[in-house]
Tab-separated table of all heavy atoms in Angstrom:
chain	number	residue	atom	x	y	z
C	194	VAL	N	-10.298	-5.104	6.104
C	194	VAL	CA	-8.888	-4.801	6.354
C	194	VAL	C	-8.351	-3.747	5.389
C	194	VAL	O	-7.339	-3.093	5.673
C	194	VAL	CB	-8.015	-6.086	6.267
C	194	VAL	CG1	-8.360	-7.033	7.399
C	194	VAL	CG2	-8.148	-6.779	4.924
C	195	TRP	N	-9.027	-3.563	4.245
C	195	TRP	CA	-8.554	-2.598	3.248
C	195	TRP	C	-9.064	-1.186	3.515
C	195	TRP	O	-8.286	-0.215	3.486
C	195	TRP	CB	-9.001	-3.041	1.848
C	195	TRP	CG	-8.704	-2.038	0.774
C	195	TRP	CD1	-7.472	-1.646	0.332
C	195	TRP	CD2	-9.664	-1.294	0.003
C	195	TRP	NE1	-7.599	-0.708	-0.684
C	195	TRP	CE2	-8.935	-0.471	-0.894
C	195	TRP	CE3	-11.048	-1.245	-0.032
C	195	TRP	CZ2	-9.552	0.382	-1.806
C	195	TRP	CZ3	-11.672	-0.393	-0.930
C	195	TRP	CH2	-10.929	0.403	-1.806
C	196	LEU	N	-10.360	-1.041	3.788
C	196	LEU	CA	-10.949	0.292	3.923
C	196	LEU	C	-10.328	1.130	5.045
C	196	LEU	O	-10.154	2.345	4.871
C	196	LEU	CB	-12.461	0.178	4.127
C	196	LEU	CG	-13.276	-0.119	2.855
C	196	LEU	CD1	-14.726	-0.410	3.210
C	196	LEU	CD2	-13.194	1.050	1.868
C	197	PRO	N	-9.990	0.560	6.205
C	197	PRO	CA	-9.337	1.398	7.220
C	197	PRO	C	-8.047	2.038	6.721
C	197	PRO	O	-7.702	3.152	7.146
C	197	PRO	CB	-9.055	0.410	8.358
C	197	PRO	CG	-10.119	-0.628	8.211
C	197	PRO	CD	-10.291	-0.791	6.728
C	198	ASN	N	-7.354	1.367	5.798
C	198	ASN	CA	-6.152	1.938	5.197
C	198	ASN	C	-6.509	2.908	4.072
C	198	ASN	O	-5.999	4.028	4.013
C	198	ASN	CB	-5.263	0.823	4.641
C	198	ASN	CG	-4.655	-0.046	5.716
C	198	ASN	OD1	-3.841	0.397	6.507
C	198	ASN	ND2	-5.052	-1.317	5.748
C	199	ALA	N	-7.410	2.473	3.185
C	199	ALA	CA	-7.741	3.268	2.000
C	199	ALA	C	-8.449	4.571	2.351
C	199	ALA	O	-8.319	5.572	1.641
C	199	ALA	CB	-8.605	2.442	1.044
C	200	THR	N	-9.226	4.572	3.445
C	200	THR	CA	-9.954	5.781	3.846
C	200	THR	C	-9.250	6.515	4.986
C	200	THR	O	-9.809	7.464	5.543
C	200	THR	CB	-11.389	5.426	4.275
C	200	THR	OG1	-11.333	4.520	5.392
C	200	THR	CG2	-12.162	4.788	3.141
C	201	MET	N	-8.059	6.049	5.314
C	201	MET	CA	-7.229	6.677	6.354
C	201	MET	C	-8.007	6.852	7.657
C	201	MET	O	-8.096	7.955	8.225
C	201	MET	CB	-6.668	8.012	5.859
C	201	MET	CG	-5.675	7.832	4.735
C	201	MET	SD	-5.003	9.375	4.075
C	201	MET	CE	-6.386	9.969	3.097
C	202	CYS	N	-8.587	5.752	8.118
C	202	CYS	CA	-9.374	5.787	9.357
C	202	CYS	C	-8.517	6.186	10.558
C	202	CYS	O	-7.347	5.805	10.659
C	202	CYS	CB	-9.981	4.417	9.638
C	202	CYS	SG	-11.418	4.023	8.634
C	203	ASN	N	-9.126	6.897	11.466
C	203	ASN	CA	-8.502	7.210	12.753
C	203	ASN	C	-8.820	6.064	13.716
C	203	ASN	O	-9.985	5.728	13.902
C	203	ASN	CB	-9.071	8.530	13.296
C	203	ASN	CG	-8.308	9.040	14.492
C	203	ASN	OD1	-7.819	8.272	15.291
C	203	ASN	ND2	-8.213	10.356	14.613
C	204	PRO	N	-7.806	5.452	14.333
C	204	PRO	CA	-8.067	4.304	15.216
C	204	PRO	C	-8.608	4.726	16.581
C	204	PRO	O	-7.993	4.485	17.623
C	204	PRO	CB	-6.691	3.650	15.333
C	204	PRO	CG	-5.723	4.760	15.153
C	204	PRO	CD	-6.355	5.711	14.175
C	205	HIS	N	-9.790	5.371	16.594
C	205	HIS	CA	-10.401	5.838	17.842
C	205	HIS	C	-10.525	4.690	18.838
C	205	HIS	O	-11.158	3.670	18.554
C	205	HIS	CB	-11.811	6.404	17.577
C	205	HIS	CG	-11.832	7.590	16.681
C	205	HIS	ND1	-11.292	8.795	17.037
C	205	HIS	CD2	-12.344	7.767	15.438
C	205	HIS	CE1	-11.466	9.667	16.061
C	205	HIS	NE2	-12.096	9.062	15.070
C	206	GLY	N	-9.942	4.843	20.010
C	206	GLY	CA	-10.085	3.830	21.055
C	206	GLY	C	-9.387	2.525	20.760
C	206	GLY	O	-9.547	1.561	21.510
C	207	LEU	N	-8.627	2.451	19.675
C	207	LEU	CA	-7.985	1.199	19.282
C	207	LEU	C	-6.458	1.328	19.231
C	207	LEU	O	-5.797	0.616	18.487
C	207	LEU	CB	-8.521	0.741	17.920
C	207	LEU	CG	-9.991	0.342	17.898
C	207	LEU	CD1	-10.463	0.091	16.472
C	207	LEU	CD2	-10.228	-0.906	18.749
C	208	ARG	N	-5.932	2.229	20.032
C	208	ARG	CA	-4.479	2.306	20.186
C	208	ARG	C	-4.091	1.579	21.470
C	208	ARG	O	-4.721	1.767	22.513
C	208	ARG	CB	-4.024	3.761	20.225
C	208	ARG	CG	-4.065	4.441	18.856
C	208	ARG	CD	-3.271	5.746	18.873
C	208	ARG	NE	-3.187	6.306	17.525
C	208	ARG	CZ	-3.984	7.255	17.067
C	208	ARG	NH1	-4.960	7.702	17.835
C	208	ARG	NH2	-3.835	7.729	15.848
C	209	TYR	N	-3.044	0.796	21.374
C	209	TYR	CA	-2.686	-0.092	22.480
C	209	TYR	C	-1.251	0.126	22.937
C	209	TYR	O	-0.398	0.594	22.181
C	209	TYR	CB	-2.871	-1.554	22.048
C	209	TYR	CG	-4.309	-1.929	21.782
C	209	TYR	CD1	-4.891	-1.692	20.532
C	209	TYR	CD2	-5.098	-2.480	22.779
C	209	TYR	CE1	-6.220	-2.016	20.286
C	209	TYR	CE2	-6.428	-2.810	22.551
C	209	TYR	CZ	-6.980	-2.571	21.300
C	209	TYR	OH	-8.296	-2.894	21.067
C	210	ASP	N	-1.007	-0.249	24.202
C	210	ASP	CA	0.351	-0.188	24.748
C	210	ASP	C	1.195	-1.358	24.240
C	210	ASP	O	2.409	-1.210	24.060
C	210	ASP	CB	0.304	-0.227	26.279
C	210	ASP	CG	-0.489	0.928	26.855
C	210	ASP	OD1	-0.039	2.080	26.695
C	210	ASP	OD2	-1.558	0.678	27.445
C	211	TRP	N	0.539	-2.489	24.033
C	211	TRP	CA	1.212	-3.695	23.520
C	211	TRP	C	0.375	-4.288	22.385
C	211	TRP	O	-0.857	-4.330	22.476
C	211	TRP	CB	1.357	-4.754	24.611
C	211	TRP	CG	2.418	-4.458	25.627
C	211	TRP	CD1	2.297	-3.663	26.733
C	211	TRP	CD2	3.748	-4.976	25.635
C	211	TRP	NE1	3.472	-3.644	27.430
C	211	TRP	CE2	4.396	-4.446	26.783
C	211	TRP	CE3	4.472	-5.821	24.801
C	211	TRP	CZ2	5.705	-4.733	27.117
C	211	TRP	CZ3	5.785	-6.130	25.128
C	211	TRP	CH2	6.395	-5.584	26.260
C	212	VAL	N	1.054	-4.771	21.356
C	212	VAL	CA	0.395	-5.498	20.270
C	212	VAL	C	1.071	-6.855	20.125
C	212	VAL	O	2.283	-6.929	19.875
C	212	VAL	CB	0.478	-4.735	18.932
C	212	VAL	CG1	-0.117	-5.586	17.815
C	212	VAL	CG2	-0.259	-3.398	19.030
C	213	PHE	N	0.295	-7.923	20.328
C	213	PHE	CA	0.768	-9.290	20.100
C	213	PHE	C	0.094	-9.810	18.829
C	213	PHE	O	-1.128	-9.675	18.669
C	213	PHE	CB	0.393	-10.205	21.272
C	213	PHE	CG	1.305	-10.092	22.469
C	213	PHE	CD1	1.428	-8.897	23.165
C	213	PHE	CD2	2.046	-11.188	22.899
C	213	PHE	CE1	2.267	-8.785	24.260
C	213	PHE	CE2	2.883	-11.097	23.994
C	213	PHE	CZ	2.994	-9.894	24.680
C	214	CYS	N	0.876	-10.381	17.936
C	214	CYS	CA	0.331	-10.906	16.680
C	214	CYS	C	0.714	-12.360	16.524
C	214	CYS	O	1.898	-12.719	16.609
C	214	CYS	CB	0.869	-10.090	15.497
C	214	CYS	SG	0.314	-10.698	13.877
C	215	ASP	N	-0.285	-13.210	16.310
C	215	ASP	CA	-0.053	-14.640	16.084
C	215	ASP	C	-0.070	-14.932	14.581
C	215	ASP	O	-0.861	-14.336	13.841
C	215	ASP	CB	-1.152	-15.448	16.789
C	215	ASP	CG	-0.857	-16.937	16.790
C	215	ASP	OD1	0.323	-17.319	16.682
C	215	ASP	OD2	-1.824	-17.721	16.893
C	216	GLU	N	0.788	-15.835	14.130
C	216	GLU	CA	0.887	-16.231	12.713
C	216	GLU	C	1.176	-15.025	11.814
C	216	GLU	O	0.553	-14.834	10.762
C	216	GLU	CB	-0.410	-16.923	12.247
C	216	GLU	CG	-0.800	-18.150	13.056
C	216	GLU	CD	0.107	-19.351	12.803
C	216	GLU	OE1	1.044	-19.239	11.993
C	216	GLU	OE2	-0.125	-20.397	13.434
C	217	CYS	N	2.148	-14.224	12.206
C	217	CYS	CA	2.415	-12.983	11.468
C	217	CYS	C	2.986	-13.241	10.071
C	217	CYS	O	2.977	-12.331	9.231
C	217	CYS	CB	3.355	-12.088	12.270
C	217	CYS	SG	5.022	-12.746	12.487
C	218	GLN	N	3.451	-14.465	9.800
C	218	GLN	CA	4.023	-14.738	8.472
C	218	GLN	C	2.950	-14.780	7.380
C	218	GLN	O	3.272	-14.671	6.201
C	218	GLN	CB	4.791	-16.070	8.472
C	218	GLN	CG	3.938	-17.327	8.422
C	218	GLN	CD	3.356	-17.706	9.773
C	218	GLN	OE1	3.748	-17.147	10.797
C	218	GLN	NE2	2.437	-18.654	9.793
C	219	ASP	N	1.692	-14.911	7.766
C	219	ASP	CA	0.625	-15.037	6.771
C	219	ASP	C	-0.182	-13.754	6.584
C	219	ASP	O	-1.263	-13.778	5.984
C	219	ASP	CB	-0.317	-16.191	7.140
C	219	ASP	CG	0.281	-17.552	6.794
C	219	ASP	OD1	0.912	-17.661	5.731
C	219	ASP	OD2	0.129	-18.492	7.590
C	220	LEU	N	0.318	-12.635	7.078
C	220	LEU	CA	-0.389	-11.373	6.891
C	220	LEU	C	-0.239	-10.877	5.461
C	220	LEU	O	0.821	-11.022	4.850
C	220	LEU	CB	0.160	-10.300	7.828
C	220	LEU	CG	0.093	-10.546	9.338
C	220	LEU	CD1	0.652	-9.343	10.081
C	220	LEU	CD2	-1.337	-10.828	9.782
C	221	ASN	N	-1.300	-10.278	4.926
C	221	ASN	CA	-1.132	-9.537	3.683
C	221	ASN	C	-0.802	-8.091	4.045
C	221	ASN	O	-0.825	-7.701	5.215
C	221	ASN	CB	-2.360	-9.637	2.774
C	221	ASN	CG	-3.638	-9.151	3.427
C	221	ASN	OD1	-3.682	-8.070	4.005
C	221	ASN	ND2	-4.705	-9.945	3.330
Side-chain angles (χ1 to χ4, degrees):
V194 293
W195 173 66
L196 283 172
N198 292 294
T200 60
M201 293 179 284
C202 283
N203 190 326
H205 298 293
L207 294 172
R208 286 195 173 97
Y209 294 85
D210 300 294
W211 285 83
V212 175
F213 280 62
C214 177
D215 189 24
E216 303 288 0
C217 66
Q218 77 280 349
D219 282 320
L220 300 182
N221 58 49

